Amino acid sequence: MNETVIITGASRGIGRGIATAFAKNKCNLILICRNSVDKLNDLAMTLSEEYGIKASCIACDVSNPDDIRKYSNEFAKADILINNAGFSYVGLLQDMTDDDWKKVIDTNLSSCFYMSRAVLPSMIQRASGRIINISSVWGNVGASTEVAYSASKGGVNSFTRALAKEVAPSGIQVNAVAFGYIDTEMNSMLSDEEKSDLFDTIPVGRPGTPEEAGEFVCKICFSPSYLTGQVITFDGAWI
Ligand code: NDP
């Protein structure tokens, strides 16, 4: 296929799983993270050697539109954009500072706007393209002590549905995947006991893995073009 895929937040966790799944499908990769550049470079090297694809790395803060503008020529090459970078804040809403709130909304929601704006003109010109936004079950139903996170992911869901309507006439698919519990560093604040209690509430009886999350995103991405404007939940029948 040799399509070019941008994946934000690819240095670890779900983003790393998504990068691996697209590499297996012979896609070329533009991998983005903000801080963990060494890890990102190692991943790019491993995937290009293992699967014979091209993989480049960009250190960019996707919550900062000026940072994204610096790479507009590079981003214009994308056939596929996966908006995966995310940040979670756990705590009471009343204790959140303005900066805490802004960081969650900018990292999880505004980044989808900034990155989509960067790739859309060339996708529209080619009358083809696919965007997948990574959401959460908390965006569907809300979570106590994760109000900002839930609001950001609920925003991602509405952003997805609205943008899909706007760009479907230009041949572009936009969908979101709402994950349940996936075993990544994002959940490292939970103790082993808390994790075990939580897994008991998931009917499948275990967390999802970054590898299966990545495979699923890749499958959704290559679905028939009539699948657009959807928020698809992947949570082991949890919520
Ligand atoms: P991790 O915390 O393991 O990884 C987050 C990734 O995002 C890292 O690569 C990090 O790179 C990158 N990142 C964070 N902020 C920025 C930024 N401002 N600019 C660029 N890159 C950034 O998270 P997960 O893999 O668990 O989560 C990935 C996505 O899946 C997120 O959107 C999350 O909300 C969503 N999700 C996760 C669930 C889970 O249970 N794990 C459940 C539901 C949804 P760096 O360290 O270099 O900043």
Side-chain angles (χ1 to χ4, degrees), residues 28-117:
N28 295 322
L29 308 175
I30 299 173
L31 305 177
I32 298 177
C33 76
R34 187 184 38 184
N35 300 316
S36 321
V37 182
D38 288 348
K39 272 190 186 172
L40 201 68
N41 282 329
D42 285 350
L43 178 66
M45 205 180 298
T46 307
L47 294 179
S48 47
E49 277 171 12
E50 200 158 330
Y51 299 105
I53 50 122
K54 289 184 201 145
S56 60
C57 298
I58 293 178
C60 169
D61 177 355
V62 294
S63 69
N64 179 344
D66 292 331
D67 223 10
I68 289 173
R69 274 191 201 98
K70 288 183 207 156
Y71 300 99
S72 49
N73 289 342
E74 196 65 13
F75 294 163
K77 296 176 192 160
D79 301 295
I80 297 166
L81 166 65
I82 312 292
N83 284 312
N84 165 75
F87 175 72
S88 115
Y89 174 100
V90 179
L92 295 176
L93 184 75
Q94 69 207 40
D95 297 333
M96 273 192 103
T97 64
D98 296 351
D99 283 348
D100 292 334
W101 173 271
K102 206 168 155 6
K103 184 172 178 186
V104 174
I105 300 296
D106 286 351
T107 307
N108 296 351
L109 176 58
S110 306
S111 63
C112 294
F113 159 49
Y114 303 142
M115 288 301 299
S116 301
R117 182 175 59 182

Side-chain angles (χ1 to χ4, degrees), residues 23-222:
K24 282 182 189 168
N25 279 275
K26 300 289 174 206
C27 292
N28 295 322
L29 308 175
I30 299 173
L31 305 177
I32 298 177
C33 76
R34 187 184 38 184
N35 300 316
S36 321
V37 182
D38 288 348
K39 272 190 186 172
L40 201 68
N41 282 329
D42 285 350
L43 178 66
M45 205 180 298
T46 307
L47 294 179
S48 47
E49 277 171 12
E50 200 158 330
Y51 299 105
I53 50 122
K54 289 184 201 145
S56 60
C57 298
I58 293 178
C60 169
D61 177 355
V62 294
S63 69
N64 179 344
D66 292 331
D67 223 10
I68 289 173
R69 274 191 201 98
K70 288 183 207 156
Y71 300 99
S72 49
N73 289 342
E74 196 65 13
F75 294 163
K77 296 176 192 160
D79 301 295
I80 297 166
L81 166 65
I82 312 292
N83 284 312
N84 165 75
F87 175 72
S88 115
Y89 174 100
V90 179
L92 295 176
L93 184 75
Q94 69 207 40
D95 297 333
M96 273 192 103
T97 64
D98 296 351
D99 283 348
D100 292 334
W101 173 271
K102 206 168 155 6
K103 184 172 178 186
V104 174
I105 300 296
D106 286 351
T107 307
N108 296 351
L109 176 58
S110 306
S111 63
C112 294
F113 159 49
Y114 303 142
M115 288 301 299
S116 301
R117 182 175 59 182
V119 301
L120 276 170
S122 62
M123 286 184 177
I124 289 169
Q125 208 169 26
R126 283 176 271 140
S128 117
R130 302 184 193 98
I131 297 176
I132 300 220
N133 301 314
I134 301 305
S135 189
S136 159
V137 288
W138 300 147
N140 299 344
V141 299
S144 166
T145 70
E146 294 194 63
V147 175
Y149 183 80
S150 302
S152 71
K153 295 299 189 179
V156 168
N157 293 351
S158 294
F159 176 90
T160 300
R161 294 185 183 107
L163 183 62
K165 289 178 179 161
E166 187 166 306
V167 298
S170 304
I172 297 161
Q173 274 171 278
V174 187
N175 290 295
V177 175
F179 285 117
Y181 186 108
I182 308 294
D183 197 13
T184 71
E185 274 181 42
M186 187 172 269
N187 297 313
S188 57
M189 72 291 183
L190 294 173
S191 67
D192 286 348
E193 198 184 344
E194 285 169 327
K195 283 186 189 172
S196 161
D197 288 348
L198 194 148
F199 299 159
D200 285 344
T201 68
I202 302 173
V204 166
R206 63 169 179 85
T209 67
E211 292 73 24
E212 63 193 344
E215 295 289 341
F216 186 67
V217 168
C218 202
K219 278 207 171 74
I220 293 299
C221 187
F222 291 122

